[in-house]
Amino acid sequence: CGGGDGGSTAASGGDGTITMGFAQVGAESGWRTANTKSVQEAAEEAGIELKFSDAQQKQENQIKAIRSYIQQKVDVIAFSPVVETGWDTVLLEAKRAGIPVILTDRAVDSEDESLYETFLGSDFVEEGKKAGEWLVEEVGSEPTSVVELQGTTGAAPAIDRQEGFAEAVAGSPNIQVVASQTGDFTRTGGKQVMEAFLKSQPDIDVVYAHNDDMGLGAIEAIEAAGKVPGKDIKIITVDAVKDGMQALADGKINFIVECNPLLGDQLMELAEKVVAGEEVEKRVVTEETTFTQEQAVEALPTREY
Ligand code: GZL
């Protein structure tokens, strides 16, 4: 950390405190809120000075924030790339400034892996597979029309969850995805797209939503159309935040694949190692599980987020 030679104007405290610049995606979902809380609390706990920005889901705002952290000469930059592409230039600027970068939650599609030290986050293809595998089990050979509420266009979780689900149901021609559109990971987006699907699709058996928030929006649309969510139309979502788990326990959602937002502690440990110049694994995959309706009833009372 700077301060030793008196000459550097590094943002890090002269007393060796690490300063982290964190460029968050936004506040679009319950998952994101829980993720932000985890990062802020973990920084506090670790004695790391956190500079935090909310990009309102706009890539240009994240790039601006990263550039400001470079200007401020922070010790380490961490961010969750809102979309996979378009990061090489700003990551090269960070590299040239000698500031290590940690990817957390979402990935970039850069060919140059030297642009970041490590990527800490879930395996989204696996999450999509778990959702598809549950549906294959659930419906057997029953003809099943699925509508898909995609996450933010171009975001790693949206791309990968769609891929994993498609892979899992590929061997079951009775399961067809009849419509797929982005709801941008928000409750409003999920509701609006579901309203359109209910008008345009003659029969919908299942909704596969890339996150709980869009699934909860779909529930509102389904109920407004006089149908029973979880019964007339089954719903599968990803995340397992409290509101989603409550809807699962209430029988309005049928299955949830967990995506763990509590990355703060692991992120701070990685940051300390990276700033100390220690080797870290290039890829750290988070632990997570799945929930049925019965399991949600059990898990709810002790759910952290
Ligand atoms: C996944 C994360 C996604 C969540 C959404 O790791 O990037 O973004 O699934 C959130 O709820 O908006």
Side-chain angles (χ1 to χ4, degrees):
C1 301
D5 57 11
S8 83
T9 52
S12 40
D15 60 358
T17 308
I18 292 174
T19 300
M20 172 187 281
F22 190 93
Q24 181 59 293
V25 166
E28 73 282 1
S29 62
W31 190 98
R32 188 65 55 199
T33 307
N35 178 249
T36 290
K37 186 164 173 280
S38 171
V39 168
Q40 291 172 331
E41 287 177 354
E44 178 86 26
E45 182 73 22
I48 287 177
E49 191 199 329
L50 186 70
K51 293 177 182 298
F52 182 90
S53 66
D54 169 338
Q56 281 120 31
Q57 288 189 277
K58 290 185 175 57
Q59 181 173 30
E60 62 267 25
N61 291 346
Q62 281 192 302
I63 290 172
K64 258 188 228 137
I66 292 169
R67 286 199 165 115
S68 86
Y69 297 144
I70 294 170
Q71 289 303 320
Q72 298 173 63
K73 296 184 171 32
V74 297
D75 297 301
V76 59
I77 291 170
F79 77 115
S80 167
V82 60
V83 293
E84 282 190 339
T85 55
W87 300 101
D88 284 19
T89 304
V90 72
L91 293 181
L92 202 51
E93 290 165 21
K95 184 178 177 184
R96 288 194 176 127
I99 300 176
V101 173
I102 295 175
L103 300 182
T104 163
D105 170 27
R106 298 184 185 177
V108 297
D109 69 351
S110 176
E111 300 290 317
D112 180 359
E113 289 203 340
S114 75
L115 292 174
Y116 57 89
E117 302 305 313
T118 181
F119 165 38
L120 161 64
S122 305
D123 180 339
F124 302 129
V125 174
E126 197 50 39
E127 291 173 348
K129 273 192 194 155
K130 287 177 186 173
E133 283 159 5
W134 178 85
L135 187 60
V136 168
E137 265 309 292
E138 179 72 9
V139 302
S141 57
E142 195 65 24
T144 305
S145 297
V146 181
V147 293
E148 183 178 30
L149 299 173
Q150 295 174 23
T152 303
T153 304
I159 294 165
D160 292 353
R161 285 171 186 166
Q162 179 170 35
E163 182 190 317
F165 183 85
E167 215 175 290
V169 304
S172 306
N174 56 304
I175 299 176
Q176 287 295 322
V177 177
V178 295
S180 181
Q181 194 177 326
T182 182
D184 209 17
F185 280 132
T186 66
R187 205 174 284 212
T188 314
K191 182 178 179 187
Q192 285 166 353
V193 174
M194 192 63 206
E195 284 165 350
F197 284 161
L198 284 163
K199 290 194 183 81
S200 64
Q201 297 302 323
D203 65 318
I204 299 171
D205 302 302
V206 175
V207 177
Y208 168 45
H210 289 181
N211 81 332
D212 291 351
D213 293 70
M214 293 191 291
L216 292 164
I219 286 171
E220 288 178 41
I222 291 167
E223 289 177 329
K227 292 176 185 280
V228 181
K231 299 234 179 324
D232 299 335
I233 297 178
K234 290 190 180 355
I235 300 180
I236 307 166
T237 67
V238 184
D239 275 352
V241 295
K242 201 156 274 182
D243 289 353
M245 291 289 274
Q246 189 56 62
L248 181 61
D250 296 344
K252 294 187 177 182
I253 291 178
N254 300 82
F255 187 68
I256 299 187
V257 177
E258 185 183 39
C259 177
N260 188 345
L262 306 182
L263 305 175
D265 289 338
Q266 282 177 288
L267 173 59
M268 298 309 152
E269 277 165 38
L270 285 164
E272 284 163 348
K273 286 184 178 160
V274 160
V275 171
E278 290 171 31
E279 272 298 297
V280 292
E281 288 168 60
K282 202 70 186 171
R283 178 76 176 91
V284 180
V285 183
T286 34
E287 300 289 313
E288 49 204 29
T289 180
T290 59
F291 293 95
T292 61
Q293 291 172 344
E294 300 70 34
Q295 288 164 336
V297 173
E298 291 288 308
L300 257 174
T302 56
R303 199 86 187 127
E304 270 189 76
Y305 60 92

